[in-house]
Amino acid sequence: MIKQLKKWTVQMMTGANVATVIVMLLVGYSDRIHPAEHPLVSTVGMAFPILLLINLAFLLFWLIFKWTRAWVPAVGFILAYVPISIYMPINVSEAPPEGALKLVSYNVCSYGGNYKYEQGFEKVRDYLIDEKADIVCLQEDNDSWRRYCFKQYEERGLTYNDTLELCHDQTRFNCLGIHTCFPIVRREKIDYPTASNNGSVAWWLKVDKDTVIVVNNHFESCHLSQADREQYRQLLKGEVASDSVRAESQLLMVKLAEANAIRSRQIEAVCDYVSQHIMDYPVILCGDFNDNPISFSRHEMAKQLRDCFVETGRGVGLSYNQKAFSFRIDHIFCSPDITPYQCYIDTKMDASDHYPVVCWLKIGVK
């Protein structure tokens, strides 16, 4: 009887593990799904780390109780190598060569200080100056119209400064900015089919003998209110009444799906802009994507650009630092004729709800 029970348990656990692997693979490769065509399905990439942990738990279980079945989760990890390497790459660090440009991309949350620092602008300004970056791309760069921000950056080595206002009314205010030591040749706003308070701007910089296009982006947010976020945290903790879990989950999924569908059109517009210029100019693209690594947004951009964190970063790289919403939603890309080095998320700088993304870029392929 006990022998039959053990056999039945092994078979049941094997079946559950196989099912987990199948779902993990479907979720891991869901970034090929267009959000405009399948909005709800396009949101499942957020569950990929949970499935990785479940499969890891199965691996530990088999190693302890029946090591001959450990091949099931092991095969799952092998088949999911591509999404795993995107979600949490492991790269050998290589020092940037002489002449490499240092780029910082940072959503500064309107210099609000993340409710930790009263002097939010000064905290961010001092950080950016200490980093000695050649190009700084800021999202929610909303303070450039006061406090003489440009003058303060200029006096500290970032000679060329520009900010474009995306929207400004009673409820919305958002700007994209660039602060750099290279001359700004021109600026172009990339038109979206749908945009409320988001946008993308291309700055053309004169870098030595090259003209480099730097595209700074702030794509569609998920529009989750503070109440939605708190509800999500309670769902994760299991603090929501059982009869409300399904309704609350569906509401959150619908909001995420709607945002994904809008964002996909914005991504395509920027990809079209890049494709028009990538053959003639080096392109650097960065910003707040408001989307996780296993997403249509990142996958579509990576079709023609190099994902700097995936190629040179290490680990999960969580760039959004709010509890229960920890994802890498800030990204840096570059054209194939640029070589990235040591891309990382600087978690020491906490004056925003995002962490800065830092990367060195050398024009020219190794």
Side-chain angles (χ1 to χ4, degrees), residues 24-33 78-83 294:
M24 181 177 68
L25 294 175
L26 292 174
V27 170
Y29 291 97
S30 64
D31 54 2
R32 276 75 172 168
I33 298 173
I78 293 172
L79 294 176
Y81 171 77
V82 172
I294 310 299

Side-chain angles (χ1 to χ4, degrees), residues 162 178 182-189 201-206 211-214 273 277 281:
D162 189 35
I178 190 168
F182 300 116
I184 299 172
V185 178
R186 59 190 286 198
R187 177 185 72 187
E188 292 182 347
K189 186 175 185 294
V201 181
W203 278 278
W204 298 50
L205 307 183
K206 189 64 177 177
T211 298
V212 178
I213 300 176
V214 179
Y273 182 88
H277 299 93
Y281 301 96

Side-chain angles (χ1 to χ4, degrees), residues 61-346:
F61 172 83
W62 292 126
L63 290 174
I64 295 171
F65 295 103
K66 194 174 180 63
W67 67 269
T68 56
R69 293 295 174 97
W71 66 269
V72 178
V75 168
F77 284 131
I78 293 172
L79 294 176
Y81 171 77
V82 172
I84 290 174
S85 65
I86 291 172
Y87 183 76
M88 48 183 302
I90 302 297
N91 295 290
V92 177
S93 181
E94 184 177 355
E98 184 178 351
L101 311 178
K102 187 176 184 181
L103 172 77
V104 175
S105 177
Y106 191 15
N107 184 324
V108 296
C109 196
S110 302
Y111 297 105
N114 202 18
Y115 307 106
K116 296 180 180 180
Y117 305 99
E118 291 185 5
Q119 304 298 323
F121 169 75
E122 288 75 11
K123 180 72 174 177
V124 172
R125 177 203 63 196
D126 292 345
Y127 165 78
L128 295 175
I129 299 306
D130 290 343
E131 282 296 299
K132 296 180 172 59
D134 298 292
I135 303 173
V136 175
C137 289
L138 300 183
Q139 302 85 47
E140 299 188 27
D141 190 16
N142 299 353
D143 216 17
S144 293
W145 56 279
R146 62 192 178 110
R147 300 190 197 176
Y148 304 100
C149 295
F150 284 5
K151 191 67 175 177
Q152 295 196 43
Y153 283 129
E154 182 180 342
E155 290 174 350
R156 291 163 174 82
L158 295 172
T159 308
Y160 303 95
N161 301 273
D162 189 35
T163 296
L164 179 65
E165 190 175 282
L166 300 175
C167 63
H168 190 183
D169 56 32
Q170 293 181 343
T171 60
R172 304 171 305 161
F173 184 31
N174 193 15
C175 301
L176 287 174
I178 190 168
H179 309 280
T180 177
C181 61
F182 300 116
I184 299 172
V185 178
R186 59 190 286 198
R187 177 185 72 187
E188 292 182 347
K189 186 175 185 294
I190 301 174
D191 291 329
Y192 288 163
T194 56
S196 52
N197 61 333
N198 303 98
S200 296
V201 181
W203 278 278
W204 298 50
L205 307 183
K206 189 64 177 177
V207 181
D208 298 327
K209 295 181 180 180
D210 295 298
T211 298
V212 178
I213 300 176
V214 179
V215 184
N216 189 7
N217 305 274
H218 190 187
F219 292 117
E220 191 75 12
S221 69
C222 295
H223 300 295
L224 297 181
S225 64
Q226 194 60 39
D228 293 330
R229 296 173 188 271
E230 184 58 35
Q231 195 71 33
Y232 177 67
R233 294 187 183 97
Q234 293 177 3
L235 281 170
L236 293 181
K237 294 178 181 179
E239 297 176 353
V240 178
S242 57
D243 57 346
S244 301
V245 169
R246 184 172 182 178
E248 295 295 341
S249 300
Q250 287 179 339
L251 179 61
L252 287 172
M253 291 293 285
V254 167
K255 286 191 174 184
L256 292 173
E258 290 175 347
N260 278 0
I262 295 173
R263 191 183 306 114
S264 67
R265 301 305 188 193
Q266 299 173 353
I267 291 287
E268 288 175 332
V270 174
C271 286
D272 287 343
Y273 182 88
V274 170
S275 65
Q276 293 170 21
H277 299 93
I278 196 171
M279 298 302 295
D280 301 314
Y281 301 96
V283 176
I284 299 170
L285 185 145
C286 61
D288 178 3
F289 277 48
N290 275 308
D291 217 340
N292 71 93
I294 310 299
S295 64
F296 174 84
S297 301
R298 195 219 69 89
H299 176 74
E300 194 69 11
M301 204 65 70
K303 285 182 177 180
Q304 57 183 331
L305 297 174
R306 304 173 71 172
D307 187 325
C308 297
F309 189 87
V310 170
E311 291 196 23
T312 70
R314 294 181 179 181
V316 179
L318 306 178
S319 68
Y320 190 62
N321 59 38
Q322 299 303 289
K323 292 181 179 179
F325 291 88
S326 297
F327 294 99
R328 186 169 81 248
I329 65 174
D330 301 87
H331 304 274
I332 296 176
F333 290 84
C334 64
S335 53
D337 54 354
I338 298 176
T339 303
Y341 295 87
Q342 294 184 359
C343 187
Y344 70 96
I345 311 298
D346 192 350

Side-chain angles (χ1 to χ4, degrees), residues 41-60:
V41 179
S42 70
T43 66
V44 299
M46 296 175 62
F48 186 67
I50 298 174
L51 294 164
L52 282 179
L53 291 174
I54 295 173
N55 197 49
L56 179 61
F58 271 115
L59 178 60
L60 297 175

